[in-house]
Amino acid sequence: MTPLEQTVYLWLEERGVQIEEIAELTFFLQINYIPDVTMEECIENVQTVLTKREVQNAILTGIQLDILAEKEILREPLLQMLRSDESLYGIDEVMSLAILNVYGSIGFTNYGYIDRLKPGILCRLNSKSDGKIHTYLDDLVAAVASAAASRLAHTRHLLTILE
């Protein structure tokens, strides 16, 4: 694991996000399409997504912006937009596109679905119940899970063709 990848894992953990929770979202997205999907496969695909440099950069940037907002270091009006996760502030979703672009168009539909539904960890991150700002992190976690689901779908499809 590279130092940058280690930092991503550390920062996710510090923000209360476990890889298994991201994998649960991936599982949620794929269970209806791949009935024999396992959590182990989902974890493996999440970990693979997290090896990509553009994914790592997006996560580190988003987490840092959330932290700066918590510390009130950002200037207004940006600070208030991040504090409230303003619905018309879409840069957090735009940053997630960098992750979704890595594994194709299925990731976009998966992302839109879970971003709207907010299952699992997304509900907790979006609730602000821990007193932290996760304006970027909730979208980045959704994007990683969606990209992992896309990768899993493509991999399984390829295996079916090759059999």
Side-chain angles (χ1 to χ4, degrees):
M1 192 179 296
T2 69
L4 189 60
E5 191 176 346
Q6 289 174 345
T7 302
V8 167
Y9 278 80
L10 176 65
W11 285 17
L12 286 170
E13 187 177 319
E14 287 174 353
R15 300 300 286 178
V17 176
Q18 302 299 315
I19 300 305
E20 293 78 13
E21 293 174 300
I22 302 172
E24 287 170 7
L25 295 173
T26 302
F27 185 87
F28 173 80
L29 288 166
Q30 287 302 318
I31 190 63
N32 291 331
Y33 305 101
I34 306 173
D36 64 335
V37 68
T38 66
M39 274 300 292
E40 291 74 26
E41 281 179 291
C42 294
I43 290 169
E44 178 186 318
N45 280 279
V46 167
Q47 290 171 330
T48 300
V49 169
L50 292 173
T51 65
K52 300 293 186 184
R53 176 63 70 105
E54 50 270 70
V55 173
Q56 296 165 359
N57 290 340
I59 290 170
L60 295 178
T61 302
I63 288 174
Q64 196 59 212
L65 287 167
D66 285 343
I67 290 169
L68 292 173
E70 284 172 17
K71 293 181 178 183
E72 300 186 354
I73 294 173
L74 299 173
R75 294 175 62 186
E76 295 295 353
L78 181 59
L79 178 59
Q80 184 52 38
M81 286 187 265
L82 294 186
R83 260 200 216 125
S84 65
D85 198 358
E86 185 179 307
S87 61
L88 294 177
Y89 178 83
I91 303 304
D92 46 338
E93 282 88 2
V94 171
M95 191 179 298
S96 296
L97 297 178
I99 294 171
L100 297 171
N101 281 328
V102 175
Y103 290 102
S105 61
I106 296 171
F108 288 96
T109 56
N110 285 334
Y111 174 78
Y113 180 64
I114 62 173
D115 186 46
R116 191 81 167 130
L117 208 59
K118 304 262 190 259
I121 188 170
L122 298 180
C123 180
R124 180 171 54 83
L125 291 174
N126 207 47
S127 74
K128 300 169 183 55
S129 60
D130 63 0
K132 293 183 179 179
I133 294 172
H134 300 298
T135 298
Y136 281 90
L137 186 58
D138 66 329
D139 292 303
L140 294 166
V141 165
V144 170
S146 298
S150 181
R151 183 182 187 280
L152 178 58
H154 286 293
T155 303
R156 280 294 194 98
H157 180 70
L158 181 61
L159 289 175
T160 304
I161 292 171
L162 295 176
E163 289 177 344

